[in-house]
């Protein structure tokens, strides 16, 4: 017999998110409007999703056309925009093939599966483990949550998936540990640990890590779910480090807000995914991949990467000026491109709340004492000045 619902009156949406007390109903460019009609400067970009800002014209136009033709047909058939997007992504990266899914967690899950398949069929190490790094974040599926070396993310969900080992980020001892580890089958890392406090990887360390992986013949997986699609000033952050991943993941900004993810790989790894080894009902559907194609084409036509670098230089200088002005309240400014973190002496959430409530400016945290600032890549100096003026006012009153 079916159980009846609880008689207790509860919200119909599960309380898995700590939500801010506003309802967003409209967005355009760098701004959103709530249900009361209040306008906010959005320097969260949907958590690094809206590289082109809210509802970018070029992507909107392409999606309206696609709505009139085809939404879904499954991967049992060839899908023209999917193949076009794969061609664009492989042409812009060191990878040879792409697999499309629906999110960053799925992209990382697929990358882990591909690395495990390589370990089984090529390395002959089915019991080996993948190395990830302390304070990383790779997703919230069981496998990607286990890959995420943060106890607060894993707590209450055991037993965790076996086959992962954690080492210290930006630490040469970790490179030597990988060299000495006969059971290491892959290395997985972020170029900037976003959720972990906006910590960029050290270039020399990454190059040593890549060299160690190559010497051992194991795949190097670079998680660019957050850093990909121009967020750091290059299309993918790994380009700034002088390395080439064997497996690369991307999601967030790829579809300008339409859910899409992908993992890409070099041929010697990707060829191990043959029919029946992996799949997705919705992954790479005509609508999401049309968004991806339109997003990349907008990047090219609008020279978005140049805009990002210009805006990043201006915003970083303004933040450093505030750090100098409020030396006891701000202790560090770090990041790459427009993925920026500001370390605060006071709880970061207090700054977030005051900016929202008093100045109608939206930013995020990345830990208890780090502000995460993620404007659209196409923001402008006037919008940056608006943010800096509000931030200055909040710091003045603390």
């Amino acid at each position: 017999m079916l159980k009846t619902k609880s008689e207790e009156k509860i919200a119909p949406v599960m309380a898995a998110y700590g939500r801010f007390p506003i309802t967003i109903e409209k967005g355009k460019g760098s701004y959103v409007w709530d249900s009361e009609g209040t306008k906010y400067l959005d320097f969260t970009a949907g958590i690094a999703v809206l590289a082109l800002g809210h509802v970018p014209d070029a992507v909107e136009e392409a999606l309206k056309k696609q709505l009139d033709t085809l939404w879904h047909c499954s991967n049992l058939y060839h899908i023209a925009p999917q193949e076009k997007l794969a061609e664009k992504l492989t042409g812009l990266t060191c990878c040879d093939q792409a697999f499309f899914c629906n999110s960053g967690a799925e992209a990382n899950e697929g990358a882990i599966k591909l690395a495990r398949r390589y370990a089984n069929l090529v390395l002959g190490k089915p019991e080996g483990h993948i190395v990830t790094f302390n304070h990383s974040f790779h997703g919230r599926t069981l496998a990607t949550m286990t890959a995420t070396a943060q106890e607060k993310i894993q707590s209450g969900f055991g037993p965790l998936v076996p086959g992962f080992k954690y080492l210290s980020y930006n630490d040469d001892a970790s490179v030597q540990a990988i060299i000495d580890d006969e059971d290491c089958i892959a290395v997985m890392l972020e170029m900037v640990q976003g959720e972990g406090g906006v910590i960029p990887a050290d270039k020399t360390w990454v190059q040593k890590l890549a060299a160690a992986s190559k010497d051992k013949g194991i795949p190097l997986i670079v998680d660019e779910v957050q850093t990909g699609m121009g967020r750091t000033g290059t299309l993918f952050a790994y380009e700034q480090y002088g390395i080439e991943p064997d497996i690369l993941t991307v999601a967030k900004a790829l579809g300008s807000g339409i859910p899409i993810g992908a993992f890409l790989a070099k041929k010697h790894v990707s060829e191990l995914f043959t029919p029946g080894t992996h799949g997705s009902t919705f992954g790479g559907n005509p609508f999401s991949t049309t968004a991806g194609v339109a997003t990349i084409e907008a990047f090219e036509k609008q020279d978005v990467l140049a805009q990002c670098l210009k805006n990043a230089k201006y915003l970083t200088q303004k933040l450093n000026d505030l750090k100098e002005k409020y030396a006891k309240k701000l202790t560090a400014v770090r990041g790459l491109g427009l993925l920026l973190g500001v370390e605060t002496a006071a709880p970061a959430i207090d700054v977030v709340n005051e900016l929202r409530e008093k100045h109608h400016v939206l930013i995020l945290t990345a830990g208890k004492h780090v502000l995460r600032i993620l404007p659209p890549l196409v923001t402008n100096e006037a919008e940056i000045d608006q943010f800096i003026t509000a931030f200055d006012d909040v710091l003045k009153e603390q």
Side-chain angles (χ1 to χ4, degrees), residues 101-298:
C101 50
N102 307 287
S103 68
E106 279 187 58
N108 285 335
E109 184 91 18
I112 290 166
K113 282 185 67 176
L114 186 54
R116 290 248 176 118
R117 189 160 176 83
Y118 190 83
N120 276 261
L121 301 185
V122 178
L123 301 178
K125 295 182 178 180
E127 304 299 324
H129 52 251
I130 297 172
V131 164
T132 65
F133 296 92
N134 293 330
H135 310 298
S136 59
F137 183 85
H138 297 294
R140 292 183 184 270
T141 64
L142 278 173
T144 58
M145 179 185 68
T146 307
T148 295
Q150 295 192 57
E151 195 276 335
K152 68 179 182 181
I153 302 296
Q154 300 171 347
S155 179
F157 293 103
L160 300 178
V161 176
F164 293 93
K165 182 177 180 179
Y166 311 134
L167 296 175
S168 296
Y169 195 68
N170 282 339
D171 187 346
D172 283 348
S174 298
V175 178
Q176 190 59 49
I178 290 168
I179 292 170
D180 296 338
D181 186 350
E182 291 299 321
D183 294 319
C184 178
I185 61 167
V187 177
M188 184 175 191
L189 80 158
E190 303 154 278
M191 294 292 95
V192 181
Q193 290 190 328
E195 296 282 345
V198 192
I199 310 294
D202 175 79
K203 185 174 182 178
T204 301
W205 177 75
V206 167
Q207 291 179 343
K208 290 177 182 178
L209 198 66
S213 299
K214 186 174 182 179
D215 289 345
K216 289 176 71 71
I218 60 175
L220 177 66
I221 307 168
V222 175
D223 173 354
E224 297 233 29
V225 167
Q226 185 163 185
T227 54
M229 295 305 296
R231 177 54 55 180
T232 66
T234 50
L235 193 64
F236 291 94
Y238 80 81
E239 299 171 59
Q240 300 176 46
Y241 286 81
I243 64 165
E244 290 191 355
D246 299 289
I247 305 173
L248 174 68
T249 64
V250 59
K252 285 190 180 289
L254 180 56
S256 292
I258 303 303
I260 186 173
F263 57 97
L264 294 79
K266 291 187 173 182
K267 180 178 181 294
H268 71 281
V269 185
S270 65
E271 64 186 2
L272 299 178
F273 265 13
T274 54
T277 54
H278 194 51
S280 171
T281 296
F282 295 108
N285 69 67
F287 193 72
S288 65
T289 50
T290 291
V293 171
T295 298
I296 290 178
E297 290 179 346

Side-chain angles (χ1 to χ4, degrees), residues 15 18 24 36 41 57 66 136 178 197 226-227 244 259 296 326 351:
I24 304 297
E36 304 299 316
L41 177 65
D57 292 342
Q66 190 61 42
S136 59
I178 290 168
Q226 185 163 185
T227 54
E244 290 191 355
I296 290 178
Y326 298 102
V351 176

Side-chain angles (χ1 to χ4, degrees), residues 79-89 100 289 293 297:
I79 300 172
Q82 180 186 123
E83 293 174 2
K84 186 174 182 179
L85 182 56
E87 184 176 356
K88 284 185 173 293
L89 286 171
F100 294 101
T289 50
V293 171
E297 290 179 346

Side-chain angles (χ1 to χ4, degrees), residues 15-25 32 34-35 40-47 347-357 360-367 370-372:
Y17 301 99
R19 299 181 192 267
F20 295 113
I22 59 175
T23 300
I24 304 297
E25 291 195 342
V32 293
D34 69 10
S35 54
Y40 296 83
L41 177 65
D42 182 8
F43 269 29
T44 75
I47 316 183
I349 192 62
D350 293 346
V351 176
V352 170
N353 287 333
E354 288 190 41
L355 280 170
R356 185 189 71 256
E357 293 168 3
H360 302 148
V361 172
L362 307 179
I363 62 170
L364 302 169
T365 62
V370 179
L371 300 169
R372 186 167 31 156

Side-chain angles (χ1 to χ4, degrees), residues 315-363:
L315 176 55
T316 302
Q317 182 58 58
K318 292 288 186 178
L319 289 171
N320 278 314
D321 290 345
L322 287 183
K323 177 180 173 292
E324 185 175 342
K325 182 177 180 180
Y326 298 102
K328 293 182 180 180
K329 298 178 180 180
L330 303 181
T331 57
V333 175
R334 56 178 179 259
L336 283 179
L338 287 173
L339 171 50
L340 293 170
V342 178
E343 198 166 311
T344 60
I349 192 62
D350 293 346
V351 176
V352 170
N353 287 333
E354 288 190 41
L355 280 170
R356 185 189 71 256
E357 293 168 3
K358 297 180 181 179
H359 299 279
H360 302 148
V361 172
L362 307 179
I363 62 170

